[in-house]
Amino acid sequence: MAALGAEQESTLRLGTSVGLGTRLDALLTVLSERAPQMMVELISAPTAARLQRVRDGELDAAFVRGVEDSPELEHLPLWRDALVAALPAEHPLATRQKIDLADLADLPLRIAPREANPHLVDTAVDACRAAGFEPIMGPPFTTDQDTLAAIASGKPSWTLYYAPQAEIQPAPRVVFRPFTDPAPAVQSYLAVRQGPPSRRLAALLDACHRLGDAAA
């Protein structure tokens, strides 16, 4: 029982978010250097479920995007991730190093239903409107594999990816291109319970700060 208790005390339970990509790998690397004795258990769940598990003490913290009213929780700002366009490698726009968002006005946008990812959808729609057009909504984004395959092989369309995810996403016959300024971006937060942090959480916060400083 003592050994089990010690293992639980040294295990960080962290709720993850879709699209962390290279951010998560870099964070775990820094954390292992700063706290080599700590084990990390990654938990994947919808945003509302992650927040509730933090609130209930089942998770030490959780990554979230967008800020919602969350009783008993704090949202600590971490970093902003740019959004990039994924489009067919054979499309004329694919030859550019950066893309003007307005140039995608005539192409259907494949994106998750708003109820599945309201912050991403609102960010995308607001950016398109700021660029002077209303996005044409194509078939919804389903899985990485199926959506990217459809973009590569079907009627020309596009979708959005978080830049750190695009860096590690395999995508034959699809290219990822950043946008010209003002490029759409999303803010990531770490949701934690209010009050003094545990030793596990303190180590995570230190790693997040160091990663943010390195990115800056």
Side-chain angles (χ1 to χ4, degrees):
M1 291 299 294
L4 178 60
E7 178 179 326
Q8 292 175 338
E9 180 64 25
S10 64
T11 299
L12 175 73
R13 298 157 299 174
L14 180 60
T16 61
S17 179
V18 172
L20 288 173
T22 55
R23 292 277 192 196
L24 182 59
D25 291 335
L27 177 65
L28 294 178
T29 298
V30 173
L31 190 58
S32 67
E33 294 171 350
R34 300 294 297 174
Q37 77 287 353
M38 182 180 296
M39 294 178 287
V40 180
E41 181 180 356
L42 300 178
I43 309 296
S44 178
T47 300
R50 292 200 305 275
L51 292 175
Q52 187 58 50
R53 295 181 74 171
V54 174
R55 194 175 293 113
D56 292 341
E58 297 176 9
L59 293 177
D60 294 291
F63 292 109
V64 293
R65 293 188 177 91
V67 178
E68 303 174 359
D69 292 332
S70 300
E72 304 174 23
L73 297 181
E74 294 184 54
H75 290 82
L76 308 178
L78 295 178
W79 50 68
R80 287 180 63 81
D81 284 326
L83 295 173
V84 299
L87 65 159
E90 298 301 322
H91 194 276
L93 291 175
T95 60
R96 301 184 185 179
Q97 294 301 310
K98 289 189 175 183
I99 295 175
D100 292 329
L101 189 56
D103 290 336
L104 297 170
D106 295 332
L107 294 181
L109 170 61
R110 295 174 176 264
I111 199 167
R114 188 181 183 280
E115 58 270 19
N117 197 337
H119 185 60
L120 175 63
V121 174
D122 290 349
T123 298
V125 172
D126 289 347
C128 290
R129 289 172 178 170
F133 70 98
E134 193 73 22
I136 302 170
M137 293 301 181
F141 190 107
T142 52
T143 65
D144 293 312
Q145 174 181 289
D146 292 352
T147 300
L148 292 176
I151 289 175
S153 304
K155 181 180 178 181
S157 61
W158 65 290
T159 191
L160 287 164
Y161 265 76
Y162 303 109
Q165 183 183 11
E167 292 179 20
I168 62 172
Q169 179 66 49
R173 295 177 294 123
V174 169
V175 296
F176 297 101
R177 292 291 183 264
F179 294 104
T180 57
D181 292 331
V186 291
Q187 177 72 46
S188 289
Y189 298 84
L190 191 68
V192 300
R193 290 184 299 281
Q194 296 177 358
S198 64
R199 287 185 297 175
R200 300 186 303 274
L201 183 56
L204 174 63
L205 293 174
D206 178 62
C208 287
H209 291 155
R210 290 179 178 274
L211 182 60
D213 292 343

